[in-house]
Amino acid sequence: MLLSPRLPCPPLSNADLSAEARILLIRPGGIGDAALLIPAVLALKKQFSSCRIDVLAERRNARVFDLCPAVERVDCYDRGTTLLQVLRRRYDVVIDTEQWHRLSAVVARLIRSEMKIGFGTNERRRMFSHAVDYRHDRYEIDSFLDLLAPLGVAPTPPEEPFLTVPEEAGDEAVRLLQRLEDRPFVALFPGASIAERRWGREKFRELAAALARQGRAVVVVGGPEDREAGDFIVEGLAEGLNLAGRTSLAGSAAILQRAQLLVAGDSGVLHIAVGLGVPTVSLFGPGIAEKWAPWGPRHRVINKQFDCSPCTRFGTTPPCPIDGCCIADISVAEVLLAMQALRAEDDRKE
């Protein structure tokens, strides 16, 4: 980013948020980052109840903010002249939540505001009046909450659920799940943003068959790109339902909300399930589990902990010389045992 070294550092200043302040959060990237940002949005709204919170996102993650009523407006900087319109506005605070790439930091610098907050992970720190440290061993929800420290917001753990499903999405889910006749079901998500994070549709099919033998229904969720894998996973199962590519993102959230639990890799769908308070079994390999894996007794994380993993840093995964064995070596039996442990945990609570 050639522009960033030429821009002068913004002056160190603090905004007055006692009145009806305007706050802009910049969130590029995928669905998972957007979902895990929501607790920070709610913490802002809780402390500054009269503030207006806008989000500048991308088209691929913007719909996540439909699950957060505290957000007033969502713009996409990769849609037409939207970015120019945002640059004409004035905010009291701009918070760039991107962890590494520089474009959003330059955008934050160009938007008129008294305070500019962001992660100081490289020369992007020059774009902010308040640069915040970033750690790879800190859960991403907590890292986003760290961005609120310059505003005096304490990083308190979020309560689950922290996502809100719109009523119309709930109606959509009821219609799509009608074939199951209110039977409890396990949700499966076979997708991921990169191939190295995918367990494989064959393993998911084997898992679905094992669950069917236990008398449990299975529902596959995901986008249009997951539809073919979903058909393969539920093929021949009387109680298997493939809804991948058949719902909006909010509709998928409404389906997850009704699931007993979700089995998924390191993905945005996993983080949405966490935000809905749904128990999860997650499969990790290239990704940093300390940063991205769900925490707490309602979640089980399977990680083979190969010497070469995690290998992903700031969203970049190098070519794998061992064909993704860190994920591929996870067995269906291990997943079933993790699911059994979750069920036992629920039974103890009852």
Side-chain angles (χ1 to χ4, degrees):
M1 179 60 63
L2 297 177
L3 183 59
S4 57
R6 302 184 183 186
L7 289 170
C9 297
L12 182 63
S13 61
N14 293 307
D16 179 11
L17 300 183
S18 58
E20 296 181 2
R22 290 171 59 91
I23 301 173
L24 177 68
L25 296 172
I26 302 176
R27 183 57 255 167
I31 289 172
D33 298 84
L36 297 183
L37 178 60
I38 300 301
V41 175
L42 299 177
L44 272 174
K45 195 66 175 178
K46 182 177 181 179
Q47 182 138 341
F48 307 108
S49 57
S50 298
C51 75
R52 174 191 170 108
I53 300 174
D54 294 349
V55 172
L56 181 60
E58 294 184 39
R59 281 177 288 183
R60 59 176 171 153
N61 69 0
R63 295 272 66 90
V64 173
F65 298 101
D66 293 343
L67 307 176
C68 181
V71 172
E72 295 274 347
R73 179 188 179 110
V74 180
D75 290 300
C76 298
Y77 69 76
D78 56 347
R79 178 174 288 148
T81 60
T82 299
L83 180 56
L84 292 176
Q85 296 170 2
V86 174
L87 290 173
R88 294 190 188 106
R89 300 183 199 140
R90 184 174 186 85
Y91 288 91
D92 296 284
V93 181
V94 173
I95 304 175
D96 175 24
T97 68
E98 165 59 30
Q99 300 91 333
W100 179 255
H101 299 293
R102 298 163 179 81
L103 175 60
S104 58
V106 173
V107 171
R109 178 66 183 88
L110 294 175
I111 294 173
R112 293 178 296 167
S113 65
E114 293 181 45
M115 291 183 71
K116 302 177 188 296
I117 304 171
F119 291 120
T121 44
N122 48 40
E123 64 266 27
R124 70 199 309 278
R125 69 169 48 246
R126 297 182 62 255
M127 301 295 99
F128 308 123
S129 61
H130 298 73
V132 176
D133 289 338
Y134 183 82
R135 290 164 37 193
H136 282 290
D137 61 351
R138 187 161 172 76
Y139 188 31
E140 199 67 355
I141 285 179
D142 295 329
S143 290
F144 287 142
L145 289 168
D146 289 342
L147 289 170
L148 309 186
L151 301 175
V153 180
T156 54
E159 297 180 2
E160 292 184 6
F162 53 78
L163 298 179
T164 302
V165 176
E167 184 177 349
E168 59 272 19
D171 294 340
E172 178 187 7
V174 169
R175 176 177 56 81
L176 290 171
L177 293 169
Q178 191 170 14
R179 203 187 90 188
L180 295 182
E181 298 178 343
D182 295 326
R183 284 195 60 194
F185 65 91
V186 174
L188 305 180
F189 176 61
S193 58
I194 59 172
E196 290 83 358
R197 295 181 187 173
R198 297 181 192 135
W199 193 34
R201 64 181 193 171
E202 292 80 9
K203 289 282 186 70
F204 272 106
R205 178 170 177 160
E206 187 181 344
L207 174 63
L211 293 173
R213 289 193 293 272
Q214 295 177 1
R216 304 177 76 175
V218 167
V219 175
V220 178
V221 296
E225 67 278 8
D226 304 306
R227 186 177 299 160
E228 184 179 346
D231 286 340
F232 178 83
I233 290 166
V234 302
E235 184 179 4
L237 297 183
E239 299 298 335
L241 189 59
N242 178 24
L243 297 182
R246 294 183 58 190
T247 68
S248 62
L249 187 141
S252 293
I255 291 164
L256 289 172
Q257 191 178 47
R258 289 160 171 77
Q260 287 184 315
L261 63 90
L262 168 73
V263 179
D266 179 9
S267 61
V269 171
L270 170 67
H271 302 311
I272 287 178
V274 173
L276 295 168
V278 177
T280 67
V281 173
S282 55
L283 318 175
F284 271 76
I288 304 173
E290 290 84 354
K291 173 155 286 297
W292 297 106
W295 290 14
R298 291 169 60 81
H299 306 287
R300 293 291 183 276
V301 180
I302 303 177
N303 186 349
K304 304 298 282 189
Q305 297 183 328
F306 277 38
D307 291 340
C308 56
S309 68
C311 59
T312 300
R313 289 292 185 277
F314 294 116
T316 300
T317 304
C320 182
I322 56 173
D323 298 324
C325 286
C326 57
I327 285 288
D329 281 9
I330 296 174
S331 69
V332 171
E334 287 176 286
V335 175
L336 290 169
L337 282 173
M339 295 174 65
Q340 184 178 339
L342 276 178
R343 176 176 281 187
E345 182 73 24
D346 287 341
D347 290 343
R348 281 195 296 271
K349 289 178 180 178
E350 293 176 2

